[in-house]
Amino acid sequence: MKILSIFTKQKKFEEQLLNGEMEYSSYYKDSFKRLKKNKAALFCLGVILFLVLLALFAPVVSPYDPTYQDYASVLAPPSSKHLLGADEYGRDILSRLIYGTRVSLSIGILAQILASVIGITLGAIAGYFGGAVDTLISRIMEIFAAFPDLLFAMAIMTFMGQGLQNLFIALGLLTWVRTARLIRGSVMQLKEKEYVEASKASGGTSFRIITKHLIPNCLSTVIVLVTLGIPNAIMYEASLSFLGLGIQPPTPSWGNMISSAQSFISFLPVYSIVPGIAIMVTVVAFNIFGDGLRDALDPKLRA
Amino acid sequence: MFQYISKRLFQTLLVLFGISLITFILLQVVPGDPVELMLEKRADAQTIARVRHELGLDVSLPQQYLNFLKGAIHLDFGKSYFTKEVVITALVRCFMVTVKLASMSFLFAVVLGVACGMAAAINRGKWIDSVLMTISIVGVSAPSFWIAIILQIIFGLKLDLLPISGFEGPVFFILPSIALGTRYAGSIARITRTSMLDVIKQDYIRTARAKGVKEGLVIMKHALKNAMIPIITLVGTELGNMLTGSMLIERVFSIPGIGKLAVDSMSNRDLPLLEGTVMYIAFVFVIVNLLVDISYAFIDPRIRYGKGAN
């Protein structure tokens, strides 16, 4: 009786499939469905998109050029002319804030791309080949992880000199270890799977197996890591710029704005307050969206 | 146990060696010749050669590295180029200030974080939970130096309650400790909540309740105790971060700690001081992490045989 009911169920299922009443749903489709249910994450995705648009269209949106100095309104309080006031050189704070979005987002994203490239390559090599290669790479990772983060970034910035490009490198070098560790772990598990064996049996080279089979299967992990890594990088950029080791004025960055605003906290508190709020909103948005993405893509990663 | 500790000690030595190598290599690529920078281009070739010899910069690079390593082992990093103070003296003096600041904020973060996390877990789904968790995510996401400035504006300038810079007495500690601790309090609150919720689901909690144990006792004795391990793990790693994170806070409040020393030596290109500071901070960071790891092995025997053996 029971067996029969299974057969009828199976038949019904096949019929539904044939009639197009039901469709197969892929892994990413499923994840997207799960993500759509998470309202907070969707809202934060909206915030992120807004920030990206703001960064892209900064010249159109901002009322002034961020480096234009209007000496008549030095340290002017918020008014209809300067919505958030003007800084010590009479530059419009709102415009500098909008241009700061460019710096923060691009550094966050590019640093994470660099970190992912290094992390995936070394992690996959260590996990796939094992043995002496793994030991060597793991020791290198240990050393990098043991260096205090901020100090390491500061040291690199001091030694390589300031500038946007060096900031990417410093922040990329800072965060690749986490990616490498997770990829190494996943690759070590995945390489025991049947499809890897099948690929080997049909003459697939190690390079092919790693790039065609192993890395694509780690993709969801990487997506989550990048999303959660961006706010980290933004925070480090702000910290370094605040210490005067990151983005140099007159290029506006939220960190160096807070740094210069520090001398004027009693005249113009709004000058210190708004860049911090911008950092906070961006970081919160990426964190909540990243958490949602993690829950949707890879619930195992939850920790 | 002994095997685990000796293995971790060996790893730590290796890491320290790696750090010294990286520090040394980084110092070699600093733009500008330190001797010329120090003598401000006024000296003739002979003087430059003499100073170069005095500083031990006239030997081959591997030899220089060995000398540096030898000095580092004896805690001898030479003298600062500018203030002529012996580096290790300056390090110890500044480090004591940072330790004071970090331990105050550590206390603040742990007490506030665990209390908020527990309150949120007990009231799961109610408004207290959402309010506390929203505050904690804001705390985690706001840069500490910005919180410091906001505190200065509110308590120093508007209310005129607390001093906004310097480090002369206990009152001076309050704002910096809060500013440094907020971020960690936020992350501790979040992990406490998650960990508590995990534990509350367990059968032994239900058993304790069914036995008629008072709710307060269930939470304090059965739940919190078992929820402690993830919290301690986080607290341990954050302790090291707090020591370096204090750099930013020291800058805002002009506190003469190790972070200020690091930033100053970087901007002055004071190489011996810089070498010393980087090595010293890294050393403390690594040792703190080692101690935290060893203490887990005592708290949770599983680590010794499971993760530790790997």
Side-chain angles (χ1 to χ4, degrees):
Chain A
M1 225 16 227
K2 210 166 186 188
I3 296 174
L4 209 68
S5 83
I6 292 176
F7 277 129
T8 42
K9 236 183 192 171
Q10 174 73 20
K11 210 174 160 195
K12 208 175 149 197
F13 179 69
E14 278 169 8
E15 268 173 10
Q16 276 180 334
L17 262 182
L18 278 176
N19 300 340
E21 286 166 28
M22 195 193 268
E23 48 182 326
Y24 276 122
S25 155
S26 75
Y27 167 66
Y28 284 101
K29 231 186 212 168
D30 272 353
S31 310
F32 187 64
K33 261 187 210 154
R34 281 197 288 268
L35 185 65
K36 267 208 301 208
K37 281 191 198 136
N38 189 341
K39 292 279 175 289
L42 278 189
F43 176 75
C44 289
L45 178 63
V47 175
I48 294 170
L49 289 178
F50 172 74
L51 288 168
V52 169
L53 288 178
L54 212 57
L56 286 177
F57 296 105
V60 187
V61 187
S62 43
Y64 294 88
D65 183 281
T67 50
Y68 169 70
Q69 306 186 345
D70 172 10
Y71 288 108
S73 47
V74 167
L75 289 174
S79 63
S80 56
K81 195 174 163 204
H82 295 285
L83 282 177
L84 293 174
D87 70 3
E88 70 272 31
Y89 297 104
R91 298 175 297 206
D92 184 49
I93 292 178
L94 179 62
S95 309
R96 293 182 68 71
L97 206 63
I98 294 173
Y99 272 85
T101 318
R102 274 191 167 181
V103 170
S104 288
L105 287 186
S106 57
I107 285 188
I109 292 166
L110 286 174
Q112 279 310 303
I113 290 176
L114 181 64
S116 303
V117 170
I118 305 177
I120 293 173
T121 314
L122 289 182
I125 290 175
Y128 184 77
F129 292 104
V133 183
D134 182 27
T135 312
L136 178 71
I137 294 178
S138 297
R139 286 294 104 83
I140 296 176
M141 293 199 292
E142 253 166 45
I143 293 170
F144 271 87
F147 235 113
D149 289 353
L150 189 59
L151 187 73
F152 184 67
M154 282 167 67
I156 295 188
M157 288 311 288
T158 315
F159 301 135
M160 294 195 312
Q162 283 125 6
L164 212 58
Q165 201 185 338
N166 291 347
L167 206 53
F168 296 146
I169 299 173
L171 295 181
L173 284 178
L174 198 65
T175 47
W176 67 271
V177 176
R178 214 160 64 112
T179 315
R181 269 199 187 139
L182 278 171
I183 295 297
R184 173 178 169 268
S186 320
V187 166
M188 272 164 88
Q189 277 175 358
L190 290 174
K191 75 172 176 186
E192 307 296 338
K193 294 258 159 128
E194 289 83 356
Y195 57 78
V196 175
E197 216 168 299
S199 177
K200 256 187 210 160
S202 56
T205 57
S206 300
F207 180 76
R208 191 184 155 81
I209 293 172
I210 292 177
T211 51
K212 289 268 169 193
H213 299 295
L214 297 177
I215 292 177
N217 272 300
C218 301
L219 208 61
S220 59
T221 312
V222 175
I223 295 174
V224 173
L225 278 177
V226 167
T227 323
L228 288 173
I230 290 173
N232 250 336
I234 290 178
M235 200 73 123
Y236 281 123
E237 181 276 318
S239 306
L240 286 171
S241 301
F242 176 74
L243 290 173
L245 292 165
I247 305 290
Q248 298 301 310
T251 309
S253 116
W254 295 336
N256 71 28
M257 284 174 76
I258 297 181
S259 175
S260 9
Q262 227 201 317
S263 326
F264 310 105
I265 51 173
S266 48
F267 306 119
L268 196 62
V270 67
Y271 186 13
S272 333
I273 296 171
V274 280
I277 293 178
I279 297 174
M280 213 163 66
V281 168
T282 314
V283 172
V284 169
F286 272 104
N287 275 334
I288 294 181
F289 176 65
D291 279 351
L293 209 56
R294 180 192 55 199
D295 292 347
L297 281 173
D298 195 352
K300 274 178 303 180
L301 270 173
R302 190 168 213 166
Chain B
M1 190 69 202
F2 175 74
Q3 208 186 352
Y4 173 71
I5 294 179
S6 51
K7 196 177 142 91
R8 283 292 286 119
L9 266 177
F10 175 71
Q11 268 178 2
T12 305
L13 277 179
L14 212 66
V15 164
L16 284 175
F17 176 74
I19 288 177
S20 73
L21 193 63
I22 293 182
T23 311
F24 182 78
I25 293 172
L26 284 176
L27 287 176
Q28 298 312 310
V29 292
V30 176
D33 184 31
V35 177
E36 277 174 24
L37 205 69
M38 185 180 166
L39 299 173
E40 290 160 358
K41 290 177 184 162
R42 283 171 305 189
D44 51 62
Q46 208 181 353
T47 325
I48 289 180
R50 189 172 51 80
V51 173
R52 199 171 278 278
H53 178 71
E54 274 171 13
L55 296 174
L57 295 174
D58 54 348
V59 290
S60 70
L61 279 183
Q63 187 61 45
Q64 275 187 41
Y65 175 64
L66 284 181
N67 291 344
F68 164 65
L69 209 57
K70 226 175 4 191
I73 290 169
H74 295 113
L75 293 178
D76 172 19
F77 298 101
K79 283 180 187 168
S80 157
Y81 285 168
F82 296 93
T83 58
K84 303 288 172 209
E85 192 179 5
V86 178
V87 169
I88 191 72
T89 326
L91 284 176
V92 172
R93 175 170 46 84
C94 294
F95 187 66
M96 292 326 285
V97 176
T98 301
V99 165
K100 269 187 208 161
L101 172 61
S103 43
M104 284 270 291
S105 12
F106 185 70
L107 203 67
F108 168 78
V110 171
V111 171
L112 188 69
V114 171
C116 289
M118 276 173 62
I122 294 168
N123 299 299
R124 182 187 190 177
K126 296 186 190 147
W127 64 270
I128 300 184
D129 184 19
S130 1
V131 169
L132 284 176
M133 283 306 107
T134 312
I135 295 177
S136 77
I137 206 164
V138 168
V140 172
S141 309
S144 58
F145 55 90
W146 179 72
I147 295 180
I149 293 173
I150 299 300
L151 289 173
Q152 281 184 333
I153 293 176
I154 298 174
F155 293 99
L157 296 174
K158 296 278 180 248
L159 300 176
D160 203 14
L161 283 175
L162 294 163
I164 59 169
S165 73
F167 210 65
E168 279 105 54
V171 207
F172 289 84
F173 286 94
I174 300 175
L175 291 186
S177 313
I178 296 176
L180 181 55
T182 306
R183 179 164 192 186
Y184 304 105
S187 51
I188 291 173
R190 291 168 68 77
I191 197 103
T192 306
R193 178 178 179 273
T194 316
S195 173
M196 280 291 274
L197 288 178
D198 260 6
V199 172
I200 284 175
K201 275 191 301 206
Q202 304 288 326
D203 288 338
Y204 56 79
I205 298 292
R206 201 180 310 151
T207 311
R209 281 183 180 149
K211 267 195 325 195
V213 179
K214 280 188 191 127
E215 185 62 22
L217 208 62
V218 172
I219 296 296
M220 294 308 288
K221 201 176 160 201
H222 297 271
L224 184 62
K225 217 171 145 192
N226 285 295
M228 242 17 226
I229 287 175
I231 304 175
I232 293 175
T233 311
L234 180 81
V235 166
T237 44
E238 299 290 32
L239 187 62
N241 286 332
M242 209 172 247
L243 285 173
T244 49
S246 76
M247 280 185 224
L248 298 158
I249 300 298
E250 285 171 17
R251 168 90 166 211
V252 177
F253 291 96
S254 32
I255 295 167
I258 195 106
K260 190 164 180 299
L261 198 67
V263 176
D264 286 351
S265 61
M266 278 183 195
S267 47
N268 290 341
R269 310 271 147 135
D270 194 338
L271 293 193
L273 198 57
L274 187 51
E275 249 168 31
T277 325
V278 173
M279 282 300 291
Y280 196 85
I281 296 179
F283 179 76
V284 172
F285 190 79
V286 170
I287 295 297
V288 166
N289 284 343
L290 175 70
L291 292 179
V292 169
D293 270 7
I294 292 178
S295 66
Y296 297 154
F298 277 106
I299 298 168
D300 187 357
R302 278 171 300 183
I303 290 167
R304 239 177 288 166
Y305 305 109
K307 260 168 73 187
N310 200 330

